Structure formats: C-alpha cells, structure tokens
Amino acid sequence: MKKSIVSILVLVLGFILVGCNNNETEEQKITVYTRDTTSGTRGAFFDIIGLSELGSSNEKLVEGFVEAPNNGEMMASIRNDKNGIGYISLSGLASSNLKGLSFNNVEASETNVLSGDYELKRPFMYIRKAEADLQTLIEKQLVDAFIAFMNSKDGKEIIANNDGIVEGLNSAPTWDNIKDDHAEALATGAAVEIHFGGSTSVEKIGRALSEAFSSLAPRFKPMHSHSGSGAAYSGTRSDGNLHLGFASRELKEEEKVTGNYDRVAWDAVVIVVNKENELTNITTSQIKDIYLGELKNWNDLNS
Amino acid sequence: MRKVKKRQVIDLSLKIITYLASFISVIILGAILIFVFSNGSKLLSFKILTTDYNSKPYRLKTTKDVEGLSFTNPNITDAYFSEDFGFAVKDDYTLEGTETIRFVYIDENSPLKTSVNEQGDNEPFKVDFIFDSTMRAVYKDGSTTTIFSKDGAKNVVDTLNGAIKIEAANVKFEGGGIRGSIITTLYLIGLTLLIGLPFGVLTALYLHEIAPQNKITNLLRSFIDMLTGIPSIIFGLMGAAFFIPFTSLLFNNPDMKRGSVIAGALTLVVIILPVVIKATESALSVVPKSYKEGSLALGATKTQTTFKIMLPNALPGILSGAILSIGRIIGESAALIFAMGTFIGDNITITGRSTSLAVHIWSVMGGEIPNINLASTIAIVILIVVLILNISVKLITNSFMKKYK
Amino acid sequence: MEKIKLRNKRADKIVKNILLVTAVLSAVFIVIIIGIVAIRGLRPFFLSYDGATVNFFKFITGTKYYAPEYRIGYIIVNTIYVVLLAILLSAPISVLTALFVAKMAPKFLSNFLTTTIEVLASIPSIIFGMFGKGYVVILVRNFADKFGIVTAGGQSTIATVIVLAMMIMPTITMLSITAIKSVPEDMEHGSLALGASSTQTMFSISLNAAKPGIFAGIILGVGRALGEATAVTMVAGGRGSGPTFGLFGTTRTLTSTILTGINEANLGSLEYDIRFSIGLVLIVVILVVNLILNGVKKRLGKYYEKS
C-alpha cells in the first residue's frame, strides 16, 4: 500500500515538474491572446493583417496562445497580464483600462477610421432571418420596425453614444417622422420575444438599441445571447433561433442573402497591451510575427 | 532513553501537524463566509429582494415648457444642478460597475414630474433613474440638440441651459434585483415537493412494507441507489433531452423548447427521489415492529396499517427528507442550467423561463464583467436559508430519536 | 363480515399495485437517464450533421477541442489529473482532521469542528465556484506574478485543484470520522497496554484499522470531484488544446466542456448533441474509476481481515 502511494506521488510530481518547465517563467515572453474562431473581430483582424488562414483555424498560431470567448474576457485577461497582447473592438477601448497601440503609426481614432487612414477598419453588420422563416406576422413587423429605428437619427445617436462610428447621422430621419409606418408593431398586446445574438463586439450597441426600442414598442421583448459573429449567419438560418444576428466583420459571400443584411456602423480593431507596457506603436510585420510565433519576447520588439 | 525522546519528538510533531490540518477547514469556512458577506452585504437590502432584475427603460418627454421657472439648488455633493429644469445629476456607476449618469434630485415642481412616455401615459422622472443613452433638448426657436450620456453629467446640465423642454429622453429605472429568482426558487421547491414527495414516499412504502424480499426488489433498490452516484450535470442533460420536449408537448407551447420552470422541477424530482426514499425508509425502520404487528393483530388490513400506523410515525423522517431536498433544490445549479435556461426573468410563470437563485449567480458571474457583489448578495440569502434548513433537520432528527428511546 | 373482508382484500391489492407502479417508475429513471444520454450521445458518430460525422476513435483520443474538431482525449486526461491532485491535496488534510475530531480533541472543540465541516458540506457548489473565481483565482494570479509565472488572469489548473479539494474535504472527513470512531476499542487498549504512546496508537492502530472506511470516503470524494460542473467551469479557463500538466496553465474538464457555450448551441445541432457524447464518456469514466477504486478497497479489506 505504502509503495503504491509513494510511486503515484513520484509520478504526479514528475508530471507537475514537466508541466511547470513548459510554463515559461521568462519575464519578457509575450502572452498572445486571441478570440475564438467564431469571433468576427478575430476574422476581421487576421484578414486585414494578411493572415486569413488564422481567422478560422488555430493551426499556425503561436504555441501557448490563450483564447478569450468575448471582448470582456479578453480585456480582463490583458488587464491582469503585463506581458499580454490582444485585439479588441475600438468601441470598447475607452472603458477597457488598456493601452491601444497605433497601427503602422496611425492612431486608432474615429477620424482616422472614417478617412481610411487607420487600416484595421471593419463594419458592424447585421443579418436578419428571412421573412419566410418567421413564425408570425408580428415578428416580421417588429424586426422591420427595429431596423427602421436603427437607421433613424435616434438610433444612430444611440449607436454613436456607444462608441460606434456612424455615417449620415444628420441626414437620417428622426424616429417620430417614420414611426407611423410601423403602427402595427408599436401597438400594445402580448409580448413577443425577439432574439438577438452574434458578435460580442456589437453587443453593447445591440443592447442599447433594443433597450431604447422596447420603450417605443410595448410588445417588444428583446433577448440577447451573443457568442461571436459566426452565430450571426448560423443563428438566422431557418432552423436557427435568432431573429437578428450582428457580425463585426465583412460578410462572406455565402452569408449575403439579398435584402437580409446591412451595415449598422463602422468600427475598428485596436491592438491592445497592458497599461504598463511601454510600447506605443506596432507594424503589420511585427504583429504578424507575434501571432505566428516568430517574435516571442518583448525585448525583440524594441529594435 | 534516546528511543523515548525520539518517540516524544515524533509524537509531538504528529500532534502539531494534526492540529494544523484540522484548522484548515475552519480557515476555509471562515474565508468563504468573510468573502461572501463582505462582498454581498453592500447590496443587501429589502429593495434588492423585491425589485426586478431587468431594467425598465422609458422614453420620456416633458409636457410643460420651462420658460420663467427657476429652482433652488439643493447643493448635493458631486452633482450638477439644472436651474431651468430643477433636477440634479451626477456621474455614477451602475450596480454592475459600468459608468452612467444618475438622477439624484428632482424638485416637486419640476417639469420632469409631469412627463409622459411614448404611449402618452403619465410617467414622471424618478430619483435613481439612470441615463446611459441619449435625450434631446428643445429650444425656444425650435432647434434641438442631442445630449449623449457619454459626455458626462455636467454636459447634460450645460446643454439644457436655455432649453424649454426635453424630448426622447431614454432613461431607465435600474434593475438588478432578485425578486424574480426568489419567486422562481419558491415555485421550484413547491412543484418539486408536490410531485416528488408522494412519489418517493409511496415508493419507500412499497419497498419497505409491501415488497417481497426477493431479487427483483433488490434490483429495484439498486437501480434507485444508482441515482445518487450520478453527477447533476447528467441530470441536466436528461432534463434537456427528455423533460423539455415532454413538457413542451404537454403544454403545447413551443416557447418552452429552451427550458421552463416545470421542466426544471421535473428534473429536480428525479434528483431528490433517492433522498426522499432513503429518508422515508430509515424512518420506517425505526418504527417499532410492535406497532405494525399490533395493528394487524387487531384486524386492520395491510393498507390501513401502512397508511394509518406506519406512515404517520415515519412523518418526522419524511419531513427531514423533505427539508434535505429543499436544501438540494436551492443549491442545484448545473441541472437547472440545462433544463431551465439562464435567462433571468421577472414575471414568473410555470411555463416560462427564469432562473433559480443558484443559476442567477451563474448568470451574473458568467457575463463579460462578472458581478461579484450581486452574486455574493444572492449567496448570503442562499447560505442563510441552507443554514436554517440544516438546523431544522438536526432538531427533527434529535426529537425523533428521543421519541423512540 | 365476508363482504368487508373481500372489499379489504381488493383495496389491498389495488393499493399494492399502485405502490408497485411508483416504485418501478422510480427505478426506471436511471434507465431513462442512461438511455437518453447514450442514444443522443451516440448520434454524432452515426448520423451526419450537414455532412459532418464525428469519428469515434478520433473523438476519444486527440488533443484539440474547437469546432469543427471535437477531440476530447486530452480533456479526459485533464479531468483525471485534476481530480488526482485534488485528492492528494485534500485526503491527508481530511484524514488528519478526522483523527483529530474522533480521538484527540476535547469535546467542545470536536463538536465545533464537526459543525464546521457539516456547514462546509452543505454549501452549494456554485458558491464554491464564485469563491474560486472571485478569490482563489486572484490569489493564484498574485502568487504567480511574484514568481514571474504567466497565468491567464489566475484561472488555472491549480485553482481548479484547490476549489475541488475544498469541496470534497468535508465528504472525506465525515466518512473518516465515522470509520475511525468505529474501530473497536480493544485494539486501542491492547496497543496502549503494550506500551505504545497514545499518538502512536492513534496513527498506527486506529488509522490503519479505519482504512477501508476512509477509502470509502475517498471514493465518494472522487465521485463528487469527477462530476462537479459549475465550480470547475468558473476557475478552469476553458483551454482549447493539449493536456495541461503545468499547475499554472489553463485547463478544462469533461464537465466544464459540457457546460460551456450551452446558450449558443442550437437544439439538435452537432454542438448540442456532442455534449451528450461527452456525458456518456463521463459516465463511463466515473464507472471505471469507481470499479477500480472499489477493487482496491476490497483488497484493503481482505488484508485486514487476514491479520
């Protein structure tokens, strides 16, 4: 009995030591954070820097990468990791308590995004479930009204308030001007659940919009469940459970079904590091090398 | 002599190690209690137990123009006061820790007290309303300016300087209460016991009183015993794959496909079944045989004996079984996540979706920003209830033992 | 008289049958549970979801779990590793505590500790998870920072092990107390009479004789640890690949894999059904571990019967 206990202990100790050795204890090793493969932010990020294969597969990623399931977790992890580097939506930068790096010497700001100077620009899109796949008329009316609200001046202001970058704010009609077109959706009656999902980058904007809209349409009962841009398409198929899915990247060809998608706002991906990190700018080749594992230490970057 | 000394040293060191080891459990319990109470007591209040979780958003507009009105500043610290409209706001945080603007004072003659909502009903601004969206200031010449919450509280007051009314004010009454989850938990307890207690007690009566002691009965017993070894997440899978479709069909309601309170209750019934059966059986075995034999000797049928003599005497044991089940129901999380879903609801119905207190903790800890304070508050409620239940079981078992000594 | 007797007999029979039905129903549930998990869980291997079928062998072995590949080999290893470490951490502490309570401590201390342990045993697992995520994880992170070890915010194997150890300690302790208390006093008196000190007696005699009971407690603890879902999910970190042996790396267990991402999986999709497959594997793992451990326990018992 004693012998077997001792041998188990030795074996376990062995495993732990081997495992611990693999845990780099070097001060300067870069911890690479990424979103999971259903994330639109990830897709957009790798696409623009020229590593499209990494968008949907972890094959070539540097060893020891850490996956964050949403923007919030990514931010929390890098907040607690001096050696961390990752990417988040620009709309989340202000409240993230992280440092955003300029990309190829262009700062990530609203003007630079709209002018196109900041290259990591990507759209916030939505996909809606096809009319034919909806169960009831009231669902279609509510989704129509919601989309109209989203495109109205009031809607765009709310998007802007949540750090989305909107175009055509002043030329959009106010809600009061267009609400009569949706009188049926705005009538009182039994509550109708409308399911939203998709990108976590767009979640803040999506929730703000649906919250404001629910005070306009008494029957509107929004339910949000955001897990990544991938769900925007899969969730709005005929067997999916979303009425409207948000994506934080350009839609792929197969996802574009006529009349069922559009852009909500512009946004950008910002590469972020911990506030204690001295870095202020990063180039395309540097960030590529970091994610491919060819650049492993912070020291190597300051060349 | 050396041998004795060596022995004494070994003995002493062993004793010390043992003392230390024992106090680890006390330290752990202490740490957990301190953590839960320090984080949760900040939010604990009657208010949080009785408010809804989901915020109530409004879109309000004032009905009275403010020309000529002026209000006195109550001079609240850190707050900005609007002399034209008679309210004060300050930069603050929501219950979840995100930045927002909060209304801290509204004068009774303020036009904000006679505002209406989008449907035209009277809906006054209330203190504690939070503003994290947009509103429009309207001026005498008909022009408007949009006020964004992200520009801060001072900006709100400054922009409204000289305005005559407010429209399209997207404000909301903050939620974050756990009323819905408390009610859901009560519903669950009620439904589960309603279905599970009779089931379990009748089964125990059969096994203990009526069944012939043969291989089949032993087989039944071992099948029921196996239920105790199954992790609750597997029960959750079963609940999702069996009870959800079952209840959805039964109530003919496709909205129940993602879970419902009744599906959760049925799953819990299966979980507590072994608990009730065991408790009833041990209670029955403590009842002196003389009671049973006496009853039969006096001519009562087996049924009468079982139900009029054995059952009432086993009641304390059944009661402890019920209380243990309640404890289990309150603490159960994994199974309910699957069978009931994690959407926190405010209007609770049997066929609707909502969360129990334990699942509510899971929900708020799982979001982008885990809300430890709210989770700890709920934990305080759960711990207090579980503690009371455990003490009750102890008291009942003690008095039960005394009765038969 | 005859009529009453006949009516009573019939009533007896009806009641007997009703009770029989409820008993059978209760027993049938376990069959339903295993049946459903098995049927739903075996589907991914035989049916095709939009053209994708999962290869069973690849599923069981293999070191990556992110769509579209579902390989849980490394997760099985992680689960066993984490539980093993949790037992190694909690068993000595539990047994020593039990010895203290049963033999060494004065009465009031003994009662106090027993109550503490009973309270710990009744704390729901979600609260342990919350404590883990809000406190243990932060402790781990600060500890690792001091030594320059990188952690994903503190969520790690060691955090999982600590939380699991906390949860199963009361179980092992309570059963060990019962086991130690039931060691026949003659054995102890004999040892003392032969000149052994009381500490020596406690450790060499009482503890050894209580081994089968203590082991039973450990088996129960293992069962609970293998099946723990919510607490583990909150501290493990959800790692997508490779078995993790390092203490500060993120990990995941079978249960946490079933639980993660449940809201996004569409009903009837591969994402959803694969969880049943994992559940099936979990049941098998628990069964196998229980069989092995019970076999060991029997041999322990035999050893002591002989002497």
Side-chain angles (χ1 to χ4, degrees), chain B residues 232-249 256-260 263-264 266-267 334-340, chain C residues 32-43 258 262 267-268 272-277:
Chain B
S232 41
I233 193 162
I234 305 277
F235 282 111
L237 287 176
M238 172 207 64
F242 183 68
F243 285 122
I244 288 187
F246 176 67
T247 49
S248 180
L249 246 87
M256 289 169 72
K257 284 227 178 97
R258 279 252 141 193
S260 59
L266 288 172
T267 312
L336 290 176
I337 293 176
F338 275 89
M340 255 186 11
Chain C
I32 295 182
I33 293 176
I34 304 207
I36 289 189
V37 173
I39 295 178
R40 211 65 189 270
L42 288 175
R43 264 207 240 160
I258 299 180
I262 184 60
L267 288 166
Y272 198 77
D273 286 350
I274 202 79
R275 290 156 207 282
F276 287 83
S277 323

Side-chain angles (χ1 to χ4, degrees), chain B residues 19 23, chain C residues 100-101 105-116:
Chain B
Y19 264 88
F23 284 101
Chain C
F100 184 72
V101 170
K107 191 128 198 252
F108 79 93
L109 204 53
S110 177
N111 283 337
F112 173 68
L113 278 176
T114 314
T115 321
T116 309

